[in-house]
Amino acid sequence: MTFPLTWLYAPGDRPHVVTKALASGADVVVIDLEDAVAPDRKAYARAATAELLSGLQPVPVHVRVNALDGPFAAADLTTLARLPGLSGLRLPKVATPEQVVRIARLHSGPPLYALLETALAVEHAYAIATAHPSLHGIALGEADLRADLGVRHDAGLDWSRSRVIVAARAAGLPAPPQSVHPDTRDLDGLTASCAHGRTLGFLGRAAIHPRQLPVIERAYLPTEQELEHAEAIIKAATEDQGAQALPNGTFIDAAVVAAAQRTLFLARRR
């Protein structure tokens, strides 16, 4: 899976929920040891996750460890970092590149993914994205960022979203997935939010319930019209290497061809 579209979170202290998540069809399952787990259940969640990750899993499994400056992260990382079933570590509340470098040096091996959840983190987005070769992606944690900025309306996060998307791409990282849509029953709202996120440049989205997965995948897969347009571009570019335009007026150059190739690449998931 080279371009996951769905990242399903499951609480680490509820192994039966994690088991269901692994069979949900999500591209990546993220076991959450942080926000979803009460302080008195942290040790149990860590032990249950370590038991699961002692063997290989049917889909990639990431773990969101506890806040790096808190009392639980060191044990999370020491216990989990080298287990065979772990495909990635998601580091919450990363605010500086030095935090990424420290974790990468102490726990070499698993790919790292930084969650940017404060105004300071957004300001440092590109520095974080280029901090260390072990970092394979960045993403926003919008609930904490919203609180930090005092943003009341969703549109107030668009500048931060664009900043992180541009930083990821400038660093040569994949386009980030959107943050979660917290209302698991509001599928119409999720559809509209995904459509907006797609226009900004996100690729895929985190989810907190399996019912959100097909909505996210539909939103991020190319439509039939987009697919037909991409195929027409590739065909025209193959037949004539010079500058040209399609009958609908679309001018074809290298950037347009590259975008069409990405569309076809995504469409192969169907």
Side-chain angles (χ1 to χ4, degrees), residues 81-106:
R82 292 192 175 276
L83 293 178
L86 181 71
S87 298
L89 285 169
R90 300 182 74 78
L91 309 178
K93 298 175 177 60
V94 172
T96 67
E98 289 77 18
Q99 289 175 294
V100 175
V101 172
R102 177 171 62 85
I103 298 302
R105 288 175 176 171
L106 288 174

Side-chain angles (χ1 to χ4, degrees), residues 161-185:
R161 291 164 175 155
S162 293
R163 176 76 177 262
V164 170
I165 291 165
V166 171
R169 299 303 297 128
L173 299 176
Q178 273 185 278
S179 188
V180 299
H181 186 73
D183 188 340
T184 62
R185 296 189 180 275

Side-chain angles (χ1 to χ4, degrees), residues 107-131:
H107 303 280
S108 60
L112 304 178
Y113 297 81
L115 298 175
L116 283 54
E117 305 180 65
T118 63
L120 180 61
V122 174
E123 283 297 298
H124 289 162
Y126 180 71
I128 292 170
T130 55

